Amino acid sequence: MSSTVLLVAGEAYPLVKTGGLADAVTGLVQALEQAGVQVRLLVPAYRGVLEKVRVDTTWPLPDLPQGPARLVAGRCRTTGMSCLLLDHPALFDRPGCYVDENGQDYADNASRFAALAHAAAEVARGLPGLERPTIVHAHDWHAGLVPLLIKAAELPSVKTVLTIHNLAFQGVFDLACIDQLGLPESARHAEGLYAWDRLNFLQAGILHADRVTTVSHTYAREILTPEFGCGLEGALRYRGEALVALPNGIDDELWNPATNVHLQPNGFSASNLGNKARWKEHIQRAFGLTVDPGALLVVSCCRLTEQKMTDLTVEALPRALAEHPRLQFALLGKGDRRFEEAFTRIAAEHPGRCGVRIGYDEPTAHRLQAGADMLWHPSRFEPFGLTPLYSMRYGTLPIVTAVGGLADSIKDPGSHAGEAAMMRANGLFLEHHDVDGVVAVLARALQLRSREAVWRAMRRNAMNGAYGWNQRVTSYLDLFETLSGDGVLRDPSGTRSRTQVPPSAASA
Ligand code: ADP
Ligand code: GLC
């Protein structure tokens, strides 16, 4: 009998995406499938998602505490990924996933994502004709109640894993909500769902999962400290050896500049960069910048939030543009209204030098990365940081802060390093997190770019790095096998290496 892994998440590319969570979840599903694992992905059927799936089977879920729903099994029409959708129109047929058109959280988010967890528990208990999972893998707070519900269902053959992609989002709600969630009595105390007189979905997941993982080694250490733990450092420390770091990979087929569909017919590669210059010109035109092959084109593509230091970027950009006449800046982003307005204003004040597009647009994200010289991507905290790895694949050197996954993946020996050391770098660190620091790192970038051999070496290091899921999935396979005990995972070729489960965060 073969066993199955059920992943439960709030989003998964290309069905629905608001950020890196969607990419990471789908990347893992595909990598597990390629490794021969039977895997199912459960996400809510938000508006428009059902149409992206070729439906095979449906099951009624008449007894969900949040009202009757349907479970729909099918395959993503574009990628073939096998998925389960929780179809509950009253909860999910809305314009946004988590927030409304004004950026406000939906008032019933507690009920919406409790329903997702109940649906996962139903699958774990068993539905006719649907294979029962041996591992249920919950992602972020949206699936935080899954481990608690599965434990309460007393299913000893089902083990749970919670992966933290971002500890800053915890799913915190008023205590009064608990009556609508259909939870067992065990949820009503501090070892359950209560934290500081509120409900906390992520804490519930941390306390009840058989293993808790997070997406980079440095972040796994950081979240045990008050500075990065967002109040949950105590709960994480309490889990001790159950907390492990399993770094993400990237989809290096999708983010391949030679073959990506949005770059055709002008793809490029590390050994043939010719078309990258074309994309630079394209971006300069598309963003209203002066067409100048010699300008240093720095781009940004991210959620406009304080996590991504957007406040500092907005403050520093006018001075950086004034002090560095060869600098151009193009931004694609969406988020906090005050930042959207500030960027629009800066672009209007710097015609030809700064171009801004407020919105979310996947094809433009690829083209921006393809055309840029550098990616501007500083973060106050960064659990993993997919975007700088994407930029490196596209020969665009990232400027980041040395936190979380960025500290693990970006190599910069520092501003005092000589040329020989810089030949081994693949990006730059923003060393001082203030306006002077921004101006200084851009000065450094301009200087490095003028040393052709160093720049070429850095770009080669970036493009040739191995960031794909096939390198990273083994740690997940080992963890799942350890948890499930007996050969849950099929490995027909028998070639997959069996490494140890990665060291716990505490000892990493
Ligand atoms: P986070 O998950 O914290 O937002 P990541 O860098 O891990 O950060 O992932 C962000 C993902 O969202 C990347 O795939 C990036 O290309 C994408 N993205 C962010 N903002 C936009 C946007 N405005 N348009 C298109 N894609 C975007
Ligand atoms: C989160 C994090 C980001 C990470 C992504 C995928 O949204 O903010 O750092 O890359 O999840 O794990």
Side-chain angles (χ1 to χ4, degrees):
M1 195 184 81
S2 60
S3 310
T4 300
V5 178
L6 174 70
L7 273 90
V8 189
E11 55 188 271
Y13 178 85
L15 299 175
V16 50
K17 170 170 168 179
T18 71
L21 171 65
D23 290 0
V25 165
T26 297
L28 177 59
V29 170
Q30 290 175 342
L32 288 170
E33 278 182 340
Q34 274 163 24
V37 179
Q38 266 204 41
V39 50
R40 288 274 191 176
L41 166 70
L42 171 63
V43 290
Y46 304 104
R47 182 170 298 170
V49 170
L50 273 169
E51 288 86 89
K52 295 184 180 167
V53 168
R54 232 182 5 258
V55 175
D56 297 330
T57 324
T58 63
W59 292 264
L61 297 177
D63 301 323
L64 280 197
Q66 289 73 31
R70 257 186 349 148
L71 198 64
V72 177
R75 287 193 176 269
C76 174
R77 288 182 191 277
T78 49
T79 64
M81 177 171 69
S82 154
C83 51
L84 292 170
L85 304 177
L86 172 59
D87 185 26
H88 190 315
L91 295 181
F92 297 116
D93 183 12
R94 304 184 187 177
C97 299
Y98 319 121
V99 298
D100 65 18
E101 294 100 321
N102 301 315
Q104 297 300 313
D105 287 347
Y106 289 119
D108 57 351
N109 270 348
S111 292
R112 299 171 79 225
F113 291 98
L116 182 67
H118 280 288
E122 293 269 340
V123 177
R125 268 192 289 265
L127 290 170
L130 185 61
E131 60 287 350
R132 273 185 65 188
T134 316
I135 303 285
V136 180
H137 186 180
H139 292 260
D140 269 355
W141 77 263
H142 319 111
L145 295 184
V146 170
L148 184 149
L149 283 178
I150 288 189
K151 200 184 261 182
E154 297 182 8
L155 304 167
S157 60
V158 182
K159 303 291 183 214
T160 57
V161 177
L162 172 79
T163 292
I164 300 170
H165 294 264
N166 196 336
L167 200 61
F169 298 102
Q170 299 180 2
V172 174
F173 305 100
D174 286 345
L175 283 184
C177 292
I178 199 159
D179 293 328
Q180 282 115 57
L181 305 186
L183 299 177
E185 218 26 60
S186 60
R188 292 179 185 261
H189 53 74
E191 287 80 47
L193 197 51
Y194 291 179
W196 305 284
D197 293 329
R198 312 289 303 272
L199 306 178
N200 190 310
F201 279 32
L202 193 63
Q203 178 188 275
I206 291 170
L207 295 179
H208 292 276
D210 291 302
R211 288 286 193 285
V212 179
T213 78
T214 190
V215 291
S216 69
H217 290 287
T218 297
Y219 193 60
R221 286 192 296 272
E222 288 171 343
I223 57 179
L224 299 175
T225 67
E227 192 188 348
F228 291 95
C230 301
L232 291 182
E233 61 276 11
L236 289 161
R237 283 186 171 276
Y238 173 74
R239 291 312 313 271
E241 294 291 306
L243 174 65
V244 294
L246 301 186
N248 284 334
I250 65 166
D251 183 336
D252 48 12
E253 282 302 309
L254 182 65
W255 288 89
N256 179 347
T259 56
N260 180 271
V261 60
H262 304 300
L263 305 186
Q264 296 315 310
N266 296 312
F268 57 90
S269 64
S271 56
N272 186 0
L273 277 166
N275 279 334
K276 191 163 166 70
R278 282 193 186 209
W279 284 111
K280 181 167 180 175
E281 185 182 331
H282 169 88
I283 290 298
Q284 286 174 325
R285 287 188 198 285
F287 279 77
L289 304 173
T290 307
V291 173
D292 174 4
L296 182 77
L297 176 56
V298 178
V299 305
S300 174
C301 175
C302 66
R303 294 181 288 116
L304 305 180
T305 65
E306 288 184 8
Q307 177 187 346
K308 308 294 180 188
M309 287 191 174
T310 310
D311 46 332
L312 175 60
T313 305
V314 160
E315 193 191 346
L317 190 54
R319 214 183 103 198
L321 289 165
E323 293 204 12
H324 300 307
R326 301 308 302 275
L327 172 68
Q328 293 185 339
F329 189 83
L331 172 128
L332 169 66
K334 194 169 179 283
D336 197 318
R337 285 280 153 79
R338 72 198 149 111
F339 297 141
E340 295 182 356
E341 284 161 16
F343 277 121
T344 307
R345 197 180 54 244
I346 296 172
E349 289 165 359
H350 297 82
R353 304 281 314 284
C354 176
V356 165
R357 226 182 253 183
I358 302 303
Y360 191 92
D361 176 3
E362 199 77 25
T364 304
H366 283 267
R367 292 171 189 148
L368 198 60
Q369 296 278 25
D373 295 305
M374 301 197 87
L375 173 78
W376 179 251
H377 199 83
S379 309
R380 292 204 161 80
F381 61 93
E382 196 64 79
F384 182 72
L386 292 159
T387 307
L389 296 191
Y390 296 156
S391 79
M392 289 200 283
R393 286 282 285 162
Y394 282 20
T396 295
L397 299 176
I399 302 176
V400 302
T401 41
V403 293
L406 303 174
D408 299 346
S409 53
I410 307 305
K411 307 284 170 245
D412 174 8
S415 52
H416 299 296
E419 236 173 67
M422 286 314 293
M423 300 283 275
R424 291 190 293 276
N426 60 11
L428 297 183
F429 287 136
L430 174 68
E431 292 178 346
H432 301 286
H433 303 178
D434 53 23
V435 173
D436 287 340
V438 172
V439 174
V441 76
L442 289 167
R444 198 175 157 218
L446 281 152
Q447 206 184 28
L448 283 166
R449 214 252 323 233
S450 68
R451 298 191 208 139
E452 224 179 274
V454 180
W455 193 256
R456 251 191 281 121
M458 288 177 70
R459 182 175 268 174
R460 204 172 39 240
N461 299 340
M463 293 188 89
N464 291 337
Y467 322 112
W469 267 110
N470 50 347
Q471 280 93 20
R472 305 285 170 92
V473 73
T474 315
S475 318
Y476 275 100
L477 295 171
D478 289 335
L479 174 64
F480 293 164
E481 279 191 352
T482 303
L483 278 176
S484 60
D486 62 340
V488 55
L489 305 167
R490 288 177 301 153
D491 180 22
S493 65
T495 52
R496 187 166 60 71
S497 71
R498 274 155 208 277
T499 56
Q500 288 292 82
V501 173
S504 79
S507 58

